[in-house]
Amino acid sequence: MKEVWVIGAGQLGRMMKYAGTPLGINVHPVNVDDPDLAAPSPGADAVITAERELWPQTPSAKALQAHANFRNKSVFGRTADRKTQKELIDSLGVATAKWLNVEADTDAAQCYEQLGETVLLKRRSGGYDGRGQLWLKQGDNDTLPDDWKNSAIAEEKCPFDEEVSLVGARTESGELVFYPLTLNLHVDGILMASISPLPRLGHLQAQAEGMLGAILEELDYVGVMAMECFRIGDRLIVNELAPRVHNSGHWTQAGASISQFEMHLRAITGLPLPKPIVRNTSVMINLIGIEYDEAWLSYADTQLHWYNKDVRPGRKVGHININDSSIEYLCRALDHLQSHLSDNYIEVLTWVRAELR
Ligand code: ATP
Ligand code: MG
Ligand code: MG
């Protein structure tokens, strides 16, 4: 039986474990945050991967990252730091938001001069769900707060039409497979909903695959990577990269013959990886800070993934995938769900319905 060990034991590792079982792959997510957890000792044939970009140097993390089969070992450090990630993207000539590194002597005037009158500071590492970001506006903020110096990049404000992402994988022999582009709705920096595929995004697919393909090649990457983009007219601009399975690829659990979790496992263990067949249209709704409701299980086209985490405001505690053969059925499922979700979802589901129609 193939053995895969995962650095991290959150929902992504958990879903990887589910995806591995039918393939005869034994997946072991490891809670590397626990300083008291004994170092695991995977066999020589085991493969090591990660569900996150950053982790503490605990005994378990050290043991896993020292294994000879830790895939993409050199990539994590490079993409976990926004500065080196941006340098990588720039070096390939792939479009990304204009940026500068915030150093000890960088001042606000320099940021506005180079990036425009509204600037977004982003911590170089550790940020997620829009945490670790600060908007600055010329006239309102004339100095850079000291605690952002030497630890952040500054980005121009992208006047985007919408946000899309591409999830794809590279195999050990260099083959590339991609899902169709996904349209994403973020509210206050948190992903709330995704839709894929959407025919109106089809003309951007080749552009997106060219961008992510170049990045995967350059890194000699093996496994799934996600590329978040802004769409401005017919142009895509990379927002950020995630060297792992990604929330915007969760719809593939319901909408593709091979989910992103299975795709990643196949790629890193050298199993065949044909291009997945994508069925119908899928919608993914993130469950953020909301209590479990059994009523979500009442609809046949609706698939619940509950992460078994404590519910806290703003925390991702699960997601719902909806896949059905007609837009009418999808919209009916959304109508059903709306009565079992909190009021802040009205705006989200309205967005989804408008996109589908
Ligand atoms: P994630 O949870 O996806 O890892 P994150 O905390 O790493 O998020 P980003 O993806 O960089 O943060 O930004 C979060 C959101 O903030 C984006 O999806 C987008 O809506 C908005 N945003 C980020 N950068 C810019 C920008 N340069 N201009 C305008 N909006 C931006
Ligand atoms: Mg991020
Ligand atoms: Mg992001």
Side-chain angles (χ1 to χ4, degrees):
M1 197 163 186
K2 288 183 189 286
E3 300 280 326
V4 170
W5 293 73
V6 187
I7 295 179
Q11 65 263 22
L12 300 179
R14 205 172 102 114
M15 290 188 275
M16 231 185 271
K17 185 174 171 68
Y18 296 157
T21 306
L23 275 61
I25 304 174
N26 207 355
V27 178
H28 309 267
V30 177
N31 178 12
V32 292
D33 288 325
D34 180 354
D36 300 323
L37 187 71
S41 44
D45 293 340
V47 170
I48 317 300
T49 188
E51 59 143 33
R52 53 201 268 191
E53 291 106 301
L54 267 185
W55 51 84
Q57 290 300 306
T58 51
S60 60
K62 283 186 187 162
L64 293 176
Q65 77 205 11
H67 195 285
N69 294 338
F70 179 20
R71 298 283 188 262
N72 308 313
K73 183 176 185 164
S74 66
V75 173
F76 293 98
R78 224 169 143 186
T79 52
D81 181 341
R82 289 191 195 269
K83 174 175 177 279
T84 49
Q85 184 183 125
K86 285 285 214 181
E87 286 166 348
L88 164 72
I89 298 168
D90 283 345
S91 73
L92 294 169
V94 171
T96 185
K98 263 195 288 177
W99 68 284
L100 59 81
N101 187 38
V102 178
E103 288 166 19
D105 58 355
T106 306
D107 61 30
Q110 243 172 298
C111 292
Y112 299 128
E113 194 188 309
Q114 290 185 39
L115 305 172
E117 62 184 23
T118 310
V119 165
L120 182 56
L121 297 184
K122 294 184 175 180
R123 294 270 179 218
R124 281 174 57 177
S125 66
Y128 66 98
D129 289 348
R131 290 168 220 215
Q133 302 194 353
L134 182 67
W135 284 103
L136 299 179
K137 211 167 165 17
Q138 198 164 17
D140 295 347
N141 314 91
D142 288 335
T143 51
L144 290 187
D146 278 341
D147 61 331
W148 290 74
K149 297 201 170 156
N150 287 320
S151 73
I153 63 166
E155 264 184 31
E156 68 173 325
K157 179 179 181 171
C158 270
F160 57 80
D161 296 308
E162 60 191 7
E163 298 189 67
V164 301
S165 60
L166 185 70
V167 175
R170 184 174 176 276
T171 65
E172 274 168 71
S173 55
E175 285 150 327
L176 301 172
V177 266
F178 300 100
Y179 293 106
L181 278 163
T182 301
L183 180 69
N184 300 313
L185 175 69
H186 297 254
V187 179
D188 298 331
I190 302 188
L191 180 68
M192 292 301 291
S194 298
I195 310 173
S196 186
L198 275 179
R200 71 170 178 81
L201 296 177
H203 70 292
L204 299 168
Q205 186 72 25
Q207 185 184 150
E209 291 186 7
M211 295 160 82
L212 182 54
I215 292 161
L216 295 171
E217 290 294 340
E218 169 66 17
L219 295 172
D220 208 12
Y221 190 84
V222 176
V224 165
M225 185 182 280
M227 175 177 76
E228 294 179 17
C229 291
F230 301 131
R231 180 181 72 76
I232 304 179
D234 285 335
R235 270 190 88 212
L236 296 178
I237 308 252
V238 176
N239 172 28
E240 59 167 352
L241 303 170
R244 53 172 170 80
V245 290
H246 190 257
N247 198 166
S248 71
H250 288 357
W251 64 267
T252 61
Q253 293 170 310
S257 58
I258 300 170
S259 75
Q260 63 162 348
F261 301 98
E262 183 174 337
M263 180 182 277
H264 184 64
L265 291 174
R266 287 182 184 227
I268 64 173
T269 60
L271 288 170
L273 183 51
K275 187 177 162 67
I277 296 165
V278 172
R279 298 189 185 97
N280 306 326
T281 306
S282 296
V283 174
M284 191 275 322
I285 308 290
N286 261 343
L287 299 169
I288 311 286
I290 185 169
E291 294 292 341
Y292 190 104
D293 187 342
E294 289 179 8
W296 297 328
L297 303 176
S298 309
Y299 311 107
D301 49 6
T302 300
Q303 181 188 74
L304 173 67
H305 293 264
W306 184 256
Y307 308 153
N308 268 334
K309 304 199 295 197
D310 293 336
V311 178
R312 289 204 284 269
R315 190 178 205 202
K316 283 181 195 167
V317 289
H319 68 272
I320 290 173
N321 289 325
I322 315 170
N323 179 280
D324 214 323
S325 57
S326 83
I327 298 303
E328 190 196 332
Y329 291 160
L330 278 176
C331 288
R332 198 182 305 159
L334 292 169
D335 292 344
H336 287 145
L337 271 181
Q338 187 158 313
S339 51
H340 307 298
L341 292 169
S342 43
D343 284 352
N344 57 315
Y345 278 89
I346 295 174
E347 171 197 4
V348 175
L349 300 187
T350 303
W351 175 86
V352 175
R353 277 190 212 94
E355 277 305 328
L356 292 175
R357 289 215 165 101

